[in-house]
Amino acid sequence: MESPFRADVLKGKVALVTGGGSGIGFEISAQLGRHGAAVAVMGRRRPVLVAAVSALRDQGIRAIGLEGDVRKQEDARRVLEATVEHFGKLDILVNGAAGNFLASPEDLSPNGFRTVIEIDSVGTYTMCHEALKYLKKGGPGKGPSMGGLIINISATLHYTASWYQLHVSAAKAAVDSITRSLALEWGTDYDIRVNGIAPGPIEGTPGMRKLAPEEMKVRTQEYMPLFKLGQKWDIAMAALYLASDAGKFVNGHTVVVDGGLWLSRPRHIPKEEVKELSRVVEGKSRASNVGAPSSKL
Ligand code: COA
């Protein structure tokens, strides 16, 4: 799909995208690149990185791949250093690396819980912490009043509660909290904007393949009336909005891009019935008010 943004909105910018080798992270990398940014892609799997970088370069994007695990502070430090060494600076950090699987609490070991918290929450924080010196105003390639941007990829699971996702809900709740706290503190002190994006179900992603495999055969629409799949493009456009000047006054916010799905619940009575019911109930309450003493208030 064609982008509504000008092709040069991110000209001269440098981005690092964790989990950028596949899925939503790759599409964000590609769209940041197509709009002028140079992109460093961080991931754990070398073959995935090699394929991603070659696909980005085929589109004329200046891209490098850097192997690393966001759970390891030394990897975070090394990858950030290598990005700045290669491209001269860092303007945008996208924390897209995440871990997920379906498990009921009975089957989720404390180590399973910890693993997802370590990737999503601690990994996000570690990347932010190590990126500060590059992103802050006055950092490499930055003016005295020009800081960078952080985008944390989150979810909507924890707005209510989600079956078999206790670990990810807890992890993403922490991510949203990190987004707000850093927006307050680093926005004030270093002119760094920190925002999030909470995607709904997005087609063709590792997340969908793991969380809603074809084998599941659930008629989702029956219990989630607003259920629709989004595209990776939808998430990348939200990232472009936040990264471009269009989002320059947005700080500390997590943009939900899910077609309204998290609000979804089955209609408990048909529309016609509610009209009738309402007339009956209102009629009854008017009748019961006749002759009632008027209020002295
Ligand atoms: N159900 C229950 N527990 C599970 C599980 C599942 N499907 N998958 C992993 N675990 C548990 C393991 O049993 C282990 O706990 P234990 O030591 O008490 O047995 C713990 O989680 C760590 O598993 P391990 O396979 O060693 O972790 P890893 O670091 O190799 O992989 C994952 C991390 C599990 C999150 C893996 O799915 C991953 O790498 N995911 C990244 C990609 C991804 O999920 N993308 C989708 C994003 S939405």
Side-chain angles (χ1 to χ4, degrees):
M1 257 168 92
E2 208 181 308
S3 163
F5 291 90
R6 262 193 358 244
D8 64 349
V9 280
L10 297 181
K11 193 171 164 204
K13 301 282 183 190
V14 175
L16 169 62
V17 183
T18 73
S22 64
I24 288 173
F26 177 75
E27 181 68 15
I28 292 176
S29 303
Q31 291 293 353
L32 295 179
R34 280 187 212 161
H35 291 78
V39 186
V41 174
M42 177 179 180
R44 284 181 303 166
R45 296 165 297 167
R46 180 184 282 274
V48 174
L49 280 181
V50 169
V53 168
S54 124
L56 293 172
R57 288 184 181 161
D58 284 350
Q59 298 176 44
I61 295 165
R62 287 202 299 149
I64 55 167
L66 297 163
E67 230 177 302
D69 187 332
V70 296
R71 288 175 283 191
K72 297 181 183 148
Q73 193 174 356
E74 61 275 17
D75 284 13
R77 197 173 294 152
R78 174 180 48 76
V79 164
L80 280 151
E81 249 169 43
T83 304
V84 175
E85 208 172 280
H86 191 88
F87 291 123
K89 61 173 182 157
L90 178 71
D91 301 296
I92 304 163
L93 168 66
V94 180
N95 286 304
N100 208 344
F101 51 82
L102 292 176
S104 65
E106 299 88 317
D107 296 326
L108 177 67
S109 69
N111 193 41
F113 180 84
R114 184 183 300 115
T115 300
V116 172
I117 296 281
E118 274 176 0
I119 301 171
D120 294 25
S121 319
V122 184
T124 292
Y125 179 67
T126 302
M127 291 302 299
C128 293
H129 184 263
E130 294 300 323
L132 173 62
K133 65 177 174 191
Y134 305 113
L135 290 175
K136 67 183 184 184
K137 64 183 171 191
K142 307 273 185 318
S145 64
M146 187 182 74
L149 168 79
I150 296 172
I151 299 175
N152 295 326
I153 304 302
S154 184
T156 61
L157 305 167
H158 52 293
Y159 294 176
T160 52
S162 299
W163 286 98
Y164 315 127
Q165 296 272 276
L166 177 152
H167 42 323
V168 189
S169 299
K172 295 302 194 184
V175 167
D176 288 0
S177 184
I178 291 167
T179 296
R180 285 189 293 268
S181 296
L182 289 185
L184 168 70
E185 300 207 35
W186 288 3
T188 307
D189 292 343
Y190 305 115
D191 196 40
I192 296 172
R193 285 191 299 121
V194 187
N195 290 295
I197 301 174
I202 303 297
E203 69 185 352
T205 57
M208 276 308 282
R209 281 191 289 281
K210 288 178 90 166
L211 306 181
E214 272 172 31
E215 294 82 352
M216 210 186 247
K217 296 193 181 75
V218 178
R219 309 271 298 275
T220 315
Q221 191 81 42
E222 280 171 16
Y223 67 95
M224 286 176 151
L226 295 175
F227 191 89
K228 258 189 240 139
L229 288 178
Q231 297 174 321
K232 289 175 260 190
W233 185 90
D234 295 311
I235 308 306
M237 289 301 117
L240 273 178
Y241 164 69
L242 292 171
S244 69
D245 280 348
K248 68 181 172 45
F249 201 49
V250 183
N251 191 26
H253 184 63
T254 295
V255 183
V256 177
V257 185
D258 78 337
L261 180 65
W262 83 271
L263 303 168
S264 197
R265 63 210 62 221
R267 198 190 292 265
H268 63 301
I269 33 173
K271 228 181 241 183
E272 283 314 307
E273 205 172 298
V274 86
K275 223 183 254 178
E276 268 320 298
L277 202 66
S278 178
R279 277 197 201 105
V280 171
V281 172
E282 290 305 313
K284 259 196 202 159
S285 73
R286 264 198 296 276
S288 68
N289 279 340
V290 174
S294 57
S295 166
K296 295 235 160 55
L297 292 174

